[in-house]
Amino acid sequence: MSMNDSNGSDESDKFDDRSMGDRKILLLVLIINLSQCSVGVVVGMWASSTALIGAALDNLADASVYGVSLYAVGRSQAIKIRAARLSGWLLIALAAMLAAEVLRRFFGGEAPVGPAMMAMAAANAALNIICLRLLKRHRGEDVNFKASTIFTSNDSVVNLGIVLSGALVLGLDSNLPDLILGLVVSVIAAKGGRDILGEASKAVESADSA
């Protein structure tokens, strides 16, 4: 076997190892987000919290993105870009659905259970930190990992906001803080979707100029 063949084999092995590592990271954060979604929906409905339900739906969208990203690992750049665009539009759709739910609850609804909001959000925030650390082990320029990191960073901001909202709900005995945060979550989600679409566009420009 020639030296060139040997080098090519080494590069292929490194690529395969890197792809396997990426897949393990994405699979782990996928499982974490599916767990957060399942528990979040139950607690959010029990606590009558729009913000918690929104965070749970956000985790479901995250899980969908991680699933798409998992599929894209090791595949062509064109497939990765399409997967990232799907992620972006999914997050924007989530933002629209959450905004509609907030408006529906604005015209009728009891005050949510503040302590439940704070406890669930604190647990989610801790899990988000774990996910971010896992995702930061990847140091490449893959557009889907950028999308995944954007999603998880948004989640961290949202959960800190839910802790504050829960405290305000307790102090004011009103669902207004929860509804306001629901709108804030929808705006953050829409911005995250726009950022992901922007990263996909940059990846297209980079590929065209190569």
Side-chain angles (χ1 to χ4, degrees):
M1 181 171 62
S2 70
M3 183 177 295
N4 288 338
D5 290 340
S6 177
N7 289 340
S9 177
D10 290 343
E11 290 178 1
S12 177
D13 290 342
K14 289 178 181 178
F15 176 77
D16 290 341
D17 290 343
R18 185 172 64 248
S19 294
M20 288 301 297
D22 291 351
R23 287 179 182 275
K24 288 179 181 178
I25 291 172
L26 286 170
L27 180 59
L28 188 52
V29 294
L30 170 63
I31 292 171
I32 290 173
N33 275 271
L34 284 175
S35 300
Q36 286 177 284
C37 174
S38 300
V39 177
V41 167
V42 173
V43 175
M45 292 180 66
W46 173 78
S48 299
S49 171
T50 303
L52 280 182
I53 293 173
L57 291 175
D58 197 13
N59 286 131
L60 178 60
D62 291 358
S64 300
V65 171
Y66 297 138
V68 171
S69 299
L70 188 60
Y71 168 77
V73 169
R75 300 181 186 272
S76 70
Q77 182 71 354
I79 290 178
K80 292 179 179 180
I81 290 171
R82 284 199 295 269
R85 281 176 170 165
L86 176 61
S87 300
W89 286 115
L90 178 64
L91 195 51
I92 290 173
L94 168 69
M97 290 172 58
L98 183 56
E101 176 65 10
V102 169
L103 291 176
R104 185 186 72 80
R105 291 197 176 214
F106 181 78
F107 295 100
E110 59 188 14
V113 181
M117 292 174 62
M118 297 169 71
M120 186 67 205
N124 280 338
L127 290 171
N128 288 336
I129 291 173
I130 293 173
C131 288
L132 279 174
R133 287 184 175 177
L134 287 169
L135 291 169
K136 286 181 179 179
R137 291 181 184 177
H138 180 88
R139 291 290 184 265
E141 295 299 318
D142 190 297
V143 65
N144 288 282
F145 266 85
K146 289 184 177 180
S148 299
T149 302
I150 289 171
F151 266 58
T152 307
S153 297
N154 286 344
D155 288 351
S156 299
V157 175
V158 167
N159 283 302
L160 290 175
I162 292 176
V163 172
L164 176 60
S165 178
L168 291 174
V169 164
L170 278 174
L172 301 176
D173 191 26
S174 167
N175 67 348
L176 191 58
D178 181 62
L179 295 175
I180 291 174
L181 183 60
L183 284 177
V184 171
V185 171
S186 69
V187 172
I188 291 174
K191 181 181 181 301
R194 187 190 66 180
D195 290 345
I196 292 169
L197 292 175
E199 290 291 346
S201 296
K202 289 179 183 178
V204 170
E205 292 174 2
S206 177
D208 289 342
S209 62

